[in-house]
């Protein structure tokens, strides 16, 4: 913990020095030539013991015993302007810790910060390293206040943007206003994104990609081609993109409902990789009199495709609602995100100004996750994926409910959030659970 605190202190010192070095002229024009931001997120979780008719440690079950786990991530966000309408970004990151039961046994796992972290020790990785070029489509320009990986300055009102490099697809797609960032909002996996979208990523959630976007005040259209891992949930990417790649397309409309912002997004995806096939694994197990093994059926050229719909609406000044629905074909194995083939989620977020606490917020949401028939049958016969598999399956929809209350301090630099989550039929198994999870999250961002 002392090493972590020292590193965070060094990050904050670097940021102070870096900001001091920006020219007064740049500050006067409110145009950044470079920027440096930092974030640190620490999460502690506890679950009491729960009832389970069976648990086999050789499978991917959530442990029925009482358990505590923690995680931490620390990230630097460097940005620099290259020339007019062009910039480059670099995000070194240190991450460590573990989800409950090594993030196994739940389709919509409880800690969004550990869905890619399998090593409990703090380890370094380059999270993002990418360049962007804007091609203006209008003379009118609008001012951007800047953010993580976004410089303060003026942008065209309409433009085409090209992004090339290592990124997280979740930064660009399915950007729901109220349920998108597990560091500051809801934490469950299927609440910060479309659960059935098997989005391309390495084990930490990042991947080399090329993204092309059309941006206008009312309409956004973006598409990406991304590398996929060599193996399911793997850390090494397959650079033979002609035989393995993820293609993602999304249309976003910015509308008004009762004169309040209403956003609608429609996403489609198609992943091609050396996936295994559930029905083939079942057939081979019947022939060989063995448990089904998805790995033994992997073959180049297999696909997984699907869609997701996401919407959010600011009902009132301090009240917002959101909903998502997603589906994947579910014939071939999950390759990058989590084992969900059908998903629906919805929730409500309240801003603290409604009860005279302007820097506070609260939210409640639920998730229903399901599987395709081949996926169900595979698990029922004793198969397992990289997230779930109890050795047997009394199938039922997995229900997840999440409630949080967040308090911000020091001009919103520090946010402390408490959570309660309830999981019914964990891993789609009615023979296990329900499971309660209690969490505390400390997020620092500057």
């Amino acid at each position: 913990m002392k090493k972590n605190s020292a590193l965070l202190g060094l990050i904050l010192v670097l940021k102070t020095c870096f900001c001091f070095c920006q020219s007064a002229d740049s500050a006067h024009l409110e145009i950044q030539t470079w920027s440096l931001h930092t974030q640190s997120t620490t999460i502690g979780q506890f679950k009491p013991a729960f009832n389970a008719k069976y648990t086999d440690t050789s499978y991917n079950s959530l442990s029925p015993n009482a358990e505590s786990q923690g995680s931490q991530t620390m990230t630097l966000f460097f940005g620099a302007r290259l020339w007019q309408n062009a910039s480059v970004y670099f995000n070194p990151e240190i991450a460590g810790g573990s989800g409950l039961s090594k993030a196994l046994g739940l389709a919509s796992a409880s800690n969004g910060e550990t869905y890619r972290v399998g090593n409990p020790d703090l380890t370094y990785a380059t999270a993002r390293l990418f360049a962007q070029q804007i091609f203006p489509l209008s003379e009118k320009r609008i001012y951007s206040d800047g953010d993580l990986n976004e410089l303060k300055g003026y942008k065209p009102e309409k433009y085409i943007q090209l992004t090339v490099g290592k990124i997280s697809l979740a930064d660009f797609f399915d950007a729901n206003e109220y349920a998108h960032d597990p560091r500051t909002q809801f934490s469950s996996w299927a609440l910060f994104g479309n659960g059935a979208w098997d989005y391309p990523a390495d084990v930490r959630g990042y991947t080399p990609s090329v993204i092309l976007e059309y941006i206008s005040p009312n309409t956004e259209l973006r598409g990406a081609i991304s590398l996929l891992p060599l193996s399911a949930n793997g850390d090494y990417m397959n650079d033979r993109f002609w035989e393995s790649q993820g293609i993602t397309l999304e249309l976003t409309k910015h509308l008004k409902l009762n004169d309040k912002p209403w956003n609608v997004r429609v996403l489609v995806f198609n992943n091609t990789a050396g996936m295994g096939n559930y029905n083939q694994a079942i057939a081979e197990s019947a022939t060989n009199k063995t448990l089904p093994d998805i790995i033994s059926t992997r073959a180049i050229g297999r696909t997984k495709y699907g869609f997701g719909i996401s919407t959010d609406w600011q009902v009132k000044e301090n009240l917002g609602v959101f909903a998502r629905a997603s589906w994947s074909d579910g014939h071939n194995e999950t390759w990058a995100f989590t084992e969900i083939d059908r998903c629906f989620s919805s929730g409500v977020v309240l801003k603290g100004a409604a009860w005279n606490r302007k820097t506070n917020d609260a939210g409640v949401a639920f998730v229903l996750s399901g599987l395709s028939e081949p996926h169900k049958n595979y698990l029922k016969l004793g198969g397992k994926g990289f997230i779930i598999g109890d050795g047997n399956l009394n199938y039922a929809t997995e229900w997840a409910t999440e409630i949080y209350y967040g308090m911000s301090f020091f001009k919103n630099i520090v946010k402390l959030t408490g959570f309660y989550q309830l999981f019914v039929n964990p891993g789609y198994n009615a023979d296990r659970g329900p499971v309660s999870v209690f969490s505390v999250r400390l997020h620092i961002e500057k």
Side-chain angles (χ1 to χ4, degrees), residues 214 216-222 250-256 261-266 310-312:
Y214 164 76
S216 73
N218 299 320
T219 303
E220 299 178 15
L221 180 63
R222 52 183 53 86
E250 184 181 62
L251 172 66
T252 299
K253 294 294 292 184
H254 301 295
L255 308 166
K256 293 282 187 179
W262 176 35
N263 303 301
V264 180
R265 303 168 192 84
V266 179
S310 172
T311 183
D312 55 78

Side-chain angles (χ1 to χ4, degrees), residues 207-279:
T207 183
S209 300
V210 176
I211 302 175
L212 190 63
E213 302 173 89
Y214 164 76
I215 307 294
S216 73
N218 299 320
T219 303
E220 299 178 15
L221 180 63
R222 52 183 53 86
I225 182 168
S226 311
L227 297 188
L228 285 164
L230 280 166
S231 60
N233 198 38
D235 200 26
Y236 298 98
M237 311 307 285
N238 188 346
D239 57 8
R240 297 169 64 88
F241 64 89
W242 56 89
E243 68 178 27
S244 174
Q245 77 291 132
I247 297 173
T248 312
L249 300 172
E250 184 181 62
L251 172 66
T252 299
K253 294 294 292 184
H254 301 295
L255 308 166
K256 293 282 187 179
L257 184 60
N258 291 340
D259 205 35
K260 294 294 184 181
W262 176 35
N263 303 301
V264 180
R265 303 168 192 84
V266 179
L267 177 149
V268 295
F269 71 92
N270 186 90
N271 295 340
T272 302
M275 303 171 187
N277 180 269
Y278 294 119
N279 284 334

Side-chain angles (χ1 to χ4, degrees), residues 291-312:
L291 293 174
D293 178 16
I294 197 74
I295 295 175
S296 68
T297 69
R298 287 176 177 170
I300 295 296
R302 293 239 170 89
T303 63
K304 177 183 280 288
Y305 60 89
F307 68 87
I309 300 171
S310 172
T311 183
D312 55 78

Side-chain angles (χ1 to χ4, degrees), residues 344-365:
F344 176 79
S345 64
S346 185
V348 178
V349 174
L350 265 172
K351 301 298 182 182
W355 57 94
N356 298 319
R357 294 290 186 271
K358 292 183 179 180
T359 60
N360 295 3
D361 65 342
V364 58

